[in-house]
């Protein structure tokens, strides 16, 4: 199975389990996201949703180009991109706190997933980056839209996007992307992070999330996300992207 879902003491843990592919997203993992979202909406016992990656090297490397490289037209790209963008929008607007427990590299779409979470707890040795620009495309799951909503200073958020480089944990903390940097065991770090939250009535958490969700509704967040998807889809079918993907796949062999 390419993912696991486990609830324990109010924490729902969603683990991406494709370490041999650096936990890259494929159709099966997209279905896993849907399963998790449905679980949250149907189980009042869940207080926190945590996503992490299996293994020690990667949180998530984004979309699996080995599976998605056959998508070459704007229409084909939009179909895949919008599917994941819809999923991430549902994720971002869940009524409970969401936490990205980043155990390793979170790049491309993996960085977008982390950005869609409320909090990002990042291993000191981990790196994150919106590297889509190196493939001649933009973020395509709504990541840029969420990044500009996360309170980073505008110039720092924009530079993170246009640099298309990976940032180490110190840089991520400096620009405000990291909520917390941790050393050692990731689950110990998680327990420490939610220690005080656990003591608060979950109705309080849901009320504060609703405030954020109302703000996003007023600012047409979903429409802006889908416009971001459309822009990426246009770039996807361009020769510059198709050639960059071929170079990447050749290098990966």
């Amino acid at each position: 199975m390419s993912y696991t879902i486990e609830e324990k003491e109010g924490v729902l843990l969603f683990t991406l389990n494709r370490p041999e592919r650096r936990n890259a997203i494929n159709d099966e993992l997209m279905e896993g996201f849907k399963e998790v979202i449905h679980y949250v909406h149907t189980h009042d016992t869940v207080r926190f949703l945590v996503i992490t990656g299996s293994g020690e090297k990667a949180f998530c490397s984004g979309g699996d180009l080995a599976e998605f490289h056959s998508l070459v037209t704007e229409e084909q790209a939009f179909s895949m991109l919008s599917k994941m963008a819809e999923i991430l929008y549902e994720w971002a607007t869940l009524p409970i706190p969401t936490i990205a427990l980043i155990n390793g590299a979170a790049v491309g779409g993996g960085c977008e997933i982390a950005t869609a979470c409320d909090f990002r707890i990042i291993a000191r040795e981990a790196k994150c980056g919106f590297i889509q620009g190196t493939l001649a495309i933009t973020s395509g799951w709504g990541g840029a839209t969420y990044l500009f909503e996360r309170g980073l200073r505008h110039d720092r958020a924009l530079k993170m996007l246009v640099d298309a480089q990976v940032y180490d944990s110190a840089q991520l903390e400096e620009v405000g992307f990291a909520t917390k940097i941790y050393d050692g065991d990731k689950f110990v770090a998680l327990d420490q992070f939610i220690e005080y939250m656990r003591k608060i009535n979950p109705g309080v958490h849901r009320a504060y999330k609703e405030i954020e969700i109302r703000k996003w509704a007023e600012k047409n967040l979903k429409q802006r996300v889908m416009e971001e998807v459309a822009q990426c889809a246009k770039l996807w079918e361009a020769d510059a992207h198709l050639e960059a993907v071929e170079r990447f796949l050749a290098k990966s062999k």
Side-chain angles (χ1 to χ4, degrees), residues 2 10 23 54 103 109 117 139 147 149 153 162 178 181 185 208 217 235 242 247 250-251 253:
S2 62
N23 299 320
S54 63
N103 55 298
C117 293
S139 52
L147 187 66
E149 290 289 331
R153 220 173 66 189
V162 299
I181 304 297
D185 186 271
Y208 281 133
L235 291 171
L242 300 179
R247 289 194 299 270
K251 185 178 179 181
K253 291 180 181 179

Side-chain angles (χ1 to χ4, degrees), residues 142-171:
T145 301
Y146 295 122
L147 187 66
F148 284 122
E149 290 289 331
R150 289 304 181 198
L152 276 69
R153 220 173 66 189
H154 171 80
D155 59 335
R156 292 181 174 181
L158 183 60
K159 193 169 191 297
M160 194 174 182
L161 293 166
V162 299
D163 273 351
Q165 297 296 309
V166 292
Y167 283 32
D168 62 29
S169 60
Q171 292 172 303

Side-chain angles (χ1 to χ4, degrees), residues 38-200:
H38 178 74
Y39 190 101
V40 170
H41 285 304
T42 55
H43 291 75
D44 292 337
T45 53
V46 180
R47 296 193 58 190
F48 307 96
L49 173 57
V50 179
I51 181 171
T52 193
S54 63
E56 299 180 354
K57 294 183 178 179
F59 168 75
C60 176
S61 60
D64 192 339
L65 289 179
E67 296 196 25
F68 295 142
H69 77 283
S70 60
L71 308 176
V72 295
T73 68
E74 178 180 341
E75 291 75 17
Q76 290 171 334
F78 184 83
S79 177
M80 180 274 291
L81 294 170
S82 61
K83 178 181 177 181
M84 189 60 188
E86 290 270 5
I87 290 169
L88 275 192
Y89 178 80
E90 293 296 323
W91 181 283
T93 55
L94 284 169
I96 61 172
T98 56
I99 302 168
L101 187 54
I102 301 175
N103 55 298
V107 295
C111 202
E112 296 190 63
I113 292 168
T115 309
C117 293
D118 297 311
F119 305 106
R120 284 154 294 283
I121 308 175
I122 303 176
R124 191 169 302 279
E125 63 274 14
K127 296 182 178 181
C128 302
F130 287 87
I131 62 170
Q132 291 91 332
T134 63
L135 292 174
I137 55 173
T138 55
S139 52
W141 295 343
T145 301
Y146 295 122
L147 187 66
F148 284 122
E149 290 289 331
R150 289 304 181 198
L152 276 69
R153 220 173 66 189
H154 171 80
D155 59 335
R156 292 181 174 181
L158 183 60
K159 193 169 191 297
M160 194 174 182
L161 293 166
V162 299
D163 273 351
Q165 297 296 309
V166 292
Y167 283 32
D168 62 29
S169 60
Q171 292 172 303
L172 295 168
E173 189 171 37
E174 179 184 0
V175 301
F177 185 80
T179 309
K180 178 181 179 181
I181 304 297
Y182 74 88
D183 296 286
D185 186 271
K186 64 181 179 180
F187 295 116
V188 172
L190 174 64
D191 285 341
Q192 292 173 344
F193 184 75
I194 65 175
E195 177 185 0
Y196 293 107
M197 293 186 200
R198 283 188 182 276
K199 300 176 183 179
I200 305 302

